[in-house]
Amino acid sequence: MTTARVAPPTRMRARRQTHRIRKVVLGVAGLLGFLATWQLIPALGIVDPRFLPPASEVLAQLGHQFVDLEFWRNVGRTLTTWGIGLLIATVAAVALGTVVGLVPYLRRLTHTTVEFLRPIPSVALIPLAILLFGFQVPAALLIVVYASFWQVFVQVLYGVADVDTVARDTARSFGLTRAERFRELVLPTALPYIMTGLRLAAAVALILTVTAELLIGIPGIGRVIVFARSAGDVTTVYVYVVVAGLLGLIVNLVFRVIERRALFWHQSVRGEDAA
Amino acid sequence: MTAAIRTAATPRRVAAGWRRVLESIWFAVGFPLLLLVVWGIWATVAPQKFFPDPVTIIRAFVDTWIGPAFVEDVLPSLARLGVGIVLSIVVGVAAGTVIGLVRWMRELLEPTLEFFRAIPPPVLVPILMLIFGPQDATRVLVIVAGAVWPVLLNTIEGVRSTDSVMTETARSYALTFGERIRFLVLPAASPRIMAGVRQSLSVALILMVISEMFNNSEGLGYRITYFQTNYLIAQMWSGILLLGLVGVLLAAIFGFVERRVLAWYHGIKEVERA
């Protein structure tokens, strides 16, 4: 029994180590394989190189872009629109969601309205945004905020409603004030939900920021794609598509880290560490 | 004893039933109606250029969409959306099952697939239009290229996390590969798959609209842009309303399907919670 308990950890750790190395090696191999396929498709003439430049060309151009200040400015513009939109949406959604979620009457009253407004694709609002704000950043913000608001709002509603009834009654009989109950009970319960909503909203906000840049012509990487395309500079189009993907990856990673940090005390995160 | 109570209680219970019906009607439509009335009054008291009153919008809705435009613009859009969604689900679940079951394949492909998922799908529209030209098939392809990732990655994740005891039981009972897929792997992965499908639906709808806003001369997205550039404000609003209805319809269909597919799962959750 004791030997069985002593022996496995080192062996298991070693096995986990090899597993991790294998995973990284295979993952890198997969990416290289993808790049090789991309390189071969135009080289073999399956797709006209005028429409799909080889990977080497796109990556070389990407390298040049990294030392170009204008490239970083465009990335900055995109991230600024994205960040402001996400911030407005999150603050509004958390505030409104908490109020609506805590008052059962409001919750029932607004249910149908929310269920109707939520599925409206926010790109449908692009024409309205252009009419209201012209071809300016606020037009993009309207779309970004609309799309990401619902992601957070719905999660806050679930989260606030998820408070354990026993804990709530206990808090009440211990005479916690309303503010204390909110801080000690409602907020910790709702936080995992809010974080999930925030992570989803961050991805959605990026999609709609780029969409607004593509379709309205707000400055940023989306607009660069439109300009490059109409100028016939196909390589640049691909470069910025790759950049958009990288931004998406970074946003996902960053918000996953924020989620783990903010919820270090929560069962779901602690459980993962123990396993 | 019980009989006496029942006779005594009946009238009150009927009244309570009516009250409950009225109450739920109030909760269902009260707030939207209130909003519409406020909007209507506001639009008549202080007419806004870009916010026509609801009655005008509904009239424009009937004039614009009910008639030939429904066949010319709405149906093709919806058909492309439907084909795109079905293809995404079929491709995503099929490829996801294979990749999820084979470990080296999963480890080989996962980082690449994660990258593709991270690309904001609208940027693929210019590329796909460039390679395949602006035609119907391209627009379906645009929808699939964006909507397939959530289904694919969630299927991989769902298949991977199949309970190992169940997998071994299935093996020792000598279930064939087909049987294992049908009775074990797919049901076990279905909650994850449905979560992926839910994400895909909204992406698909966005991409349907965007693919039509790019150099195109038919479809819902094109119509709405056309109305806006020609300052047909009420018509534009009616288009937004129509897209909203499409979104609600999609959500309703999804909810119906999900409840049927995951009836067993929700049952288990209910029991666990009780």
Side-chain angles (χ1 to χ4, degrees), chain A residues 19 22 105 112-113 124 210-211, chain B residues 26 28 31 103 107 122-123 243:
Chain A
H19 182 210
R22 182 190 132 113
Y105 187 81
T112 31
T113 316
V210 175
T211 307
Chain B
W26 158 246
F31 190 60
R103 192 172 131 189
E107 285 169 350
V123 301
L243 277 176

Side-chain angles (χ1 to χ4, degrees), chain A residues 19 22-23 26-31 34 47 50-52 105 108-113 115-116 118-128 130-132 135 200 206-208 210-211 214-215 222 225-226 229 234 237-238 241-242 244-249 252 256, chain B residues 23-24 26-32 35 50-51 103-104 107-112 114-124 126-127 129-131 198-199 202-203 205-206 209-210 213-215 224-225 228 231 233 236-237 239-241 243-245 247-248 251:
Chain A
H19 182 210
R22 182 190 132 113
K23 207 171 164 181
L26 274 175
V28 171
L31 274 175
F34 164 70
V47 175
R50 275 180 305 162
F51 298 147
L52 178 64
Y105 187 81
R108 287 184 68 188
L109 201 63
T110 52
H111 181 75
T112 31
T113 316
E115 288 307 307
F116 181 78
R118 190 160 65 109
I120 296 180
S122 58
V123 283
L125 300 178
I126 287 180
L128 180 68
I130 295 176
L131 284 181
L132 287 179
F135 298 88
L200 294 173
L206 186 66
I207 293 178
L208 284 145
V210 175
T211 307
L214 282 170
L215 292 174
I225 291 178
V226 176
R229 180 175 171 242
V234 180
V237 173
Y238 280 89
V241 169
V242 173
L246 291 175
L247 275 186
L249 265 187
N252 281 352
R256 229 165 257 178
Chain B
E23 205 175 50
S24 58
W26 158 246
F27 277 125
V29 296
F31 190 60
L35 283 182
F50 300 137
F51 292 91
R103 192 172 131 189
W104 63 265
E107 285 169 350
L108 188 70
L109 293 178
E110 217 157 32
T112 314
E114 283 287 348
F115 176 73
F116 272 95
R117 201 235 303 247
I119 297 178
V123 301
L124 297 174
I127 288 188
M129 290 280 174
L130 200 68
I131 298 180
R198 186 202 297 272
Q199 284 179 34
S202 51
V203 173
L205 189 53
I206 288 179
V209 178
I210 294 178
M213 284 178 169
F214 263 86
N215 52 14
I224 294 180
T225 321
Q228 175 251 319
Y231 274 86
I233 310 297
M236 182 197 84
W237 273 99
I240 296 176
L241 180 65
L243 277 176
L245 288 176
V248 173

Side-chain angles (χ1 to χ4, degrees), chain B residues 3 12 27 81-82 94 112 132 145 151 165 172 179 185 231:
Chain B
R12 204 189 295 156
F27 277 125
L81 179 68
T112 314
F132 298 102
V151 182
V165 175
S172 57
E179 283 170 339
V185 174
Y231 274 86

Side-chain angles (χ1 to χ4, degrees), chain A residues 82 199 202 247-261:
Chain A
W82 167 82
R199 182 160 48 79
L247 275 186
L249 265 187
I250 294 170
V251 165
N252 281 352
L253 281 178
V254 166
F255 275 82
R256 229 165 257 178
V257 170
I258 294 178
E259 195 174 359
R260 306 199 98 221
R261 281 282 160 81

Side-chain angles (χ1 to χ4, degrees), chain A residues 116-267:
Chain A
F116 181 78
L117 289 180
R118 190 160 65 109
I120 296 180
S122 58
V123 283
L125 300 178
I126 287 180
L128 180 68
I130 295 176
L131 284 181
L132 287 179
F133 300 110
F135 298 88
Q136 301 287 332
V137 175
L141 286 181
L142 176 74
I143 295 153
V144 174
V145 169
Y146 188 87
S148 33
F149 173 81
W150 297 112
Q151 302 281 347
V152 184
F153 182 76
V154 170
Q155 293 291 332
V156 174
L157 280 192
Y158 287 146
V160 170
D162 196 37
V163 172
D164 189 49
T165 41
V166 176
R168 196 189 55 206
D169 293 345
T170 313
R172 218 171 258 166
S173 58
F174 271 56
L176 265 67
T177 62
R178 193 171 279 267
E180 279 171 340
R181 264 189 321 211
F182 181 76
R183 210 183 50 223
E184 308 290 339
L185 197 62
V186 176
L187 202 60
T189 312
L191 200 58
Y193 290 87
I194 297 177
M195 284 299 159
T196 309
L198 196 58
R199 182 160 48 79
L200 294 173
V204 168
L206 186 66
I207 293 178
L208 284 145
T209 307
V210 175
T211 307
E213 289 166 358
L214 282 170
L215 292 174
I216 310 180
I218 309 294
I221 57 176
R223 193 171 73 161
V224 177
I225 291 178
V226 176
F227 283 178
R229 180 175 171 242
S230 47
D233 185 358
V234 180
T235 312
T236 305
V237 173
Y238 280 89
V239 167
Y240 277 85
V241 169
V242 173
V243 170
L246 291 175
L247 275 186
L249 265 187
I250 294 170
V251 165
N252 281 352
L253 281 178
V254 166
F255 275 82
R256 229 165 257 178
V257 170
I258 294 178
E259 195 174 359
R260 306 199 98 221
R261 281 282 160 81
L263 299 178
F264 69 94
W265 49 273
H266 193 263
Q267 191 61 47

